[in-house]
């Protein structure tokens, strides 16, 4: 195990993960809002924000899927050491991480079932651009409308149509993140 | 003049101080040590360990002392402590066939390999108050030292050789964990057993008793009841083998139940199973009867509507910590909901023409 | 703050499990997410769900307010506040506007909450259909199939018998046109406040459920066209602060049938009095 694996975790897990969770919760409860997070330094090419989300939410109980460009020994080891999360295929994961093109097609991921719609995957979308401009959003967490830069529109519209089933998305870019739950209508 | 109720904090502190004083009782009487509780109130200690799901006689004794002998309160203390403990791993399934039995009886065979061993039981005591205990409490010495406890074969094994009792093959599937995952229906047998072993003894007893009286009667015989110590072993991946990490005393009860066969199963004896921490006979037998009653579906029997057959009813109400918490929470203030009910009832009465008495009406205006 | 336990009492893995449940709950507003509730050092039914949600949500920078029946000084509110003072070392406050997290039992504060605030409800029975159907396996199917006819029949029977819907608290709501949800035993007077700027989280410890409402989620109290929902309360002003718009406790003042009505929200009442508002029985009323 090299230094890169051992480094880059939270120095104070209880407090840093509490702060990071609040940022993630705030973003998910208010689609379109962009939050900054800090505390993790994952190996490249994983963004700092994705690293923070991983450390905050993942552990041995949450299987993780890495898309091909992220499925590197250095990342596998880092996730294994700091979160203890098993790395699995797309159809089994609770969390998936990767750039948008590599996450497609989305029907590979667990969407939940009608009695337990919560048993669905959360996708961490690594994105080069994240700003509160672009597609118009409506739904819970949004008073009137909000805007967010999205990699496309149709996939999210389709995702919202199967509500209460569906996937939830967290977009990560550098040290910032935003979220789009299945309840959001993209117009 | 009305003054808003204040000082909740001081009231709580005072209540705690008073409680501590009451717990101690008359300071002229020697204080009870936890060792005395552990040694002399061992069956209370066993119950607290069983329902608290934590095998630690010293902590259970402390909990009983702190709870002033209220065993459900003591179980609660143990449970709350237990959840804070880190989990290092899982033990291997204990081997009750290797149990060093200090008590082992069978109601189905007069004699059998290993023999009937009565052990330390109340069974044939005459329930006469022993005033000598009040005087000095010194127990008479045993006339002869007990034989060293030995492993003896399981009674159901004898029936199994003839194919008279259903197979219970070992199953390597990891059981679900009630303490780490939310309870979900339908519940598998391992989950039901896990819930029953920590279930309230009184609740389990009453359900078991109801099956004997005809609410899902299942004709149980105590095939075997055994009490003794078993080794707890844990696999150590770094070593590549299991090592013994300790020993626990368990009570195991296997019932043999008459079964005429069903659409899916041939006529044969069926099993009910009880396994409980410590010497906890009443609980282990009750557990076995309730386990058997809950197995109606897998054995292709009819659901008669009996409470002991109703998995959801049994599992959702068996935990005395959940039950007592929710029951006792009605002591908490409910001013707000009560007020909204008051207003509703007044309104309905007004409209029904009943109305309050004149002075109440006036005061309420 | 005590060093014997982890920050906010729960271990990190338990917090992660609760946090994941909270996020799913926010993503599916009104749906009850099962979670492996832990045994807490206070009894089930006394706020263990709310306490676990608060513990998983707290940061060291928070200002925590705890109310029971709207009041900061009721004994169980005092007890829960002390628990977090001891285990999380957070600042505790009684002012609604200064709090960043408010844990509540049975009330929504009178003062509107802002978008930087979180309201955590203690929930005894999270299932709105439970009193109509005791089996979890059945009610879960009813939610899955959006089969809420039984609830409407019950409410309509009330109207047939009493001329009104005879539910005064824990009045069921429909969330975003999908899930019927129990708002916890708040008086129906509080229901309209649920469309708010703050995040609302609901924790039911004994029943092992978490559910949530993101800000501005549509929350509609169930009713009928010819019997619209009526959130009204008794027509009295607060005897201490004179508020006309606040929910009131009825207090018996003597054994001659005397009574008075005072705000159940103690912070609201005190703030109003500090700002010079006086009710007819206030000590220094003119």
């Amino acid at each position: 195990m090299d230094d890169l694996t051992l480094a880059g975790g939270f120095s104070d897990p209880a407090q840093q993960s509490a702060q990071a969770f609040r940022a993630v919760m705030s973003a998910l409860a208010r689609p379109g809002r962009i939050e900054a997070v800090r505390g993790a330094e994952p190996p490249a090419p994983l963004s700092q924000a994705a690293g923070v989300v991983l450390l905050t939410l993942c552990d041995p109980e949450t299987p993780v899927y890495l898309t091909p460009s992220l499925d590197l020994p250095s990342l596998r080891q880092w996730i294994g050491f700091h979160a203890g999360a098993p790395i699995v295929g797309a159809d089994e994961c609770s969390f998936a991480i990767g750039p948008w093109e590599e996450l497609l097609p989305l029907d590979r991921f667990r969407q939940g079932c009608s009695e337990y719609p919560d048993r669905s995957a959360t996708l961490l979308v690594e994105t080069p651009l994240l700003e509160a401009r672009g597609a118009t959003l409506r739904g819970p967490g949004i008073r009137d409308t909000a805007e967010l830069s999205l990699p496309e529109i149709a996939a999210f519209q389709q995702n919202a149509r199967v509500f209460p089933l569906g996937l939830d998305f967290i977009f990560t870019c550098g040290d910032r993140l935003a979220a789009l739950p299945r309840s959001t209508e993209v117009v | 003049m009305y003054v808003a109720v204040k000082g909740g904090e001081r009231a709580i502190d005072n209540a705690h101080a008073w409680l501590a004083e009451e717990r101690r009782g008359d300071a002229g009487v020697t204080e009870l040590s936890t060792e005395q509780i552990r040694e002399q109130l061992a069956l209370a200690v066993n119950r607290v360990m069983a329902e608290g799901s934590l095998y630690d006689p010293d902590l259970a004794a402390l909990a009983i002392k702190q709870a002033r002998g209220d065993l459900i309160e003591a179980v609660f203390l143990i449970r709350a402590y237990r959840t804070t403990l880190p989990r290092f791993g899982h033990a291997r399934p204990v081997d009750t066939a290797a149990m060093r039995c200090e008590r082992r009886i069978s109601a189905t065979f007069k004699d059998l390999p290993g023999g009937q061993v009565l052990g330390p039981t109340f069974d044939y005591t005459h329930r006469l108050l022993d005033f000598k205990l009040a005087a000095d409490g010194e127990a008479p010495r045993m006339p002869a030292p007990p034989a060293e406890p030995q492993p003896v074969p399981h009674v159901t094994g004898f029936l199994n050789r003839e194919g008279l009792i259903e197979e219970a093959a070992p199953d390597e599937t990891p059981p679900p964990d009630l303490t780490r995952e939310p309870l979900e229906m339908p519940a598998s047998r391992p989950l039901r057993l896990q819930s029953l072993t920590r279930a309230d003894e009184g609740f389990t007893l009453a359900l078991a008793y109801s099956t004997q009286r005809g609410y899902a009667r299942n004709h149980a015989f105590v095939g075997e009841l055994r009490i003794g110590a078993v080794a707890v072993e844990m696999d150590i991946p770094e070593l590549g083998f299991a090592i013994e990490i300790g020993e626990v005393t368990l009570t195991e009860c296997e019932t043999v139940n008459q079964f005429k066969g069903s659409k899916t199963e041939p006529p044969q004896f069926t099993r009910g199973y009880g396994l409980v921490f410590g010497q906890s006979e009443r609980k282990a037998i009750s557990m076995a009867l309730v386990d058997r009653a809950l197995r109606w579906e897998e054995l292709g029997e009819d659901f008669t509507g009996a409470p002991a057959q109703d998995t959801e009813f049994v599992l959702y109400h068996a935990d005395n910590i959940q039950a007592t918490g929710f029951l006792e929470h009605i002591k908490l203030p409910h001013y707000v909901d009560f007020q909204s009910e008051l207003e509703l009832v007044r309104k309905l009465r007004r409209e029904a023409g009943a109305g309050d008495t004149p002075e109440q009406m006036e005061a309420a205006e | 703050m005590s060093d014997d336990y982890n920050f906010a009492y729960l271990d990190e893995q338990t917090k992660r499990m609760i946090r994941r449940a909270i996020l799913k709950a926010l993503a599916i507003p009104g749906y009850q997410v099962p979670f492996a509730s832990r045994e807490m050092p206070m009894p089930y039914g006394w706020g263990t769900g709310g306490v676990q949600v608060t513990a998983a949500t707290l940061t060291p920078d928070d200002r925590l307010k705890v109310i029971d029946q709207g009041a900061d000084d009721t004994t169980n509110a005092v007890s829960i506040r002390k628990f977090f003072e001891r285990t999380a070392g957070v600042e505790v406050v009684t002012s609604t506007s200064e709090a960043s997290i408010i844990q509540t039992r049975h009330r929504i504060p009178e003062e509107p909450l802002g978008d930087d605030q979180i309201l955590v409800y203690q929930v005894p029975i999270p299932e709105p259909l439970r009193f109509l159907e005791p089996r979890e396996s059945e009610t879960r199917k009813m939610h899955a199939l959006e089969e809420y006819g039984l609830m409407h029949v019950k409410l309509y029977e009330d109207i047939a018998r009493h001329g009104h819907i005879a539910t005064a608290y824990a009045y069921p709501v429909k969330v975003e046109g999908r899930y019927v949800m129990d708002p916890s035993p708040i008086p129906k007077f509080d229901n309209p406040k649920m469309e708010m700027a703050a995040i609302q989280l609901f924790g039911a410890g004994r029943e092992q459920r978490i559910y949530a409402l993101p800000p501005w989620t549509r929350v509609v109290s169930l009713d009928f066209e010819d019997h619209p929902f009526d959130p009204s309360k008794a027509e009295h002003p607060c005897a201490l602060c004179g508020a006309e718009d606040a929910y009131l406790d009825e207090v018996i003042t003597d054994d001659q049938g005397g009574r008075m009505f005072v705000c159940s929200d103690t912070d609201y009442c005190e703030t109003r009095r500090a700002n010079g508002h006086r009710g007819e029985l206030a000590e220094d009323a003119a």
Side-chain angles (χ1 to χ4, degrees), chain A residues 61 116 119, chain B residues 180 184-185:
Chain A
E61 291 174 9
Y116 295 98
R119 294 179 182 171
Chain B
R180 311 291 283 188
E184 239 171 55
M185 297 295 140

Side-chain angles (χ1 to χ4, degrees), chain A residues 19-42:
Chain A
Q19 266 141 355
F21 170 69
R22 283 287 281 280
V24 175
M25 178 170 88
S26 178
L28 193 90
R30 299 181 181 86
R33 178 188 286 220
I34 294 172
E35 297 273 346
V37 290
R38 58 174 178 274
E41 299 289 344

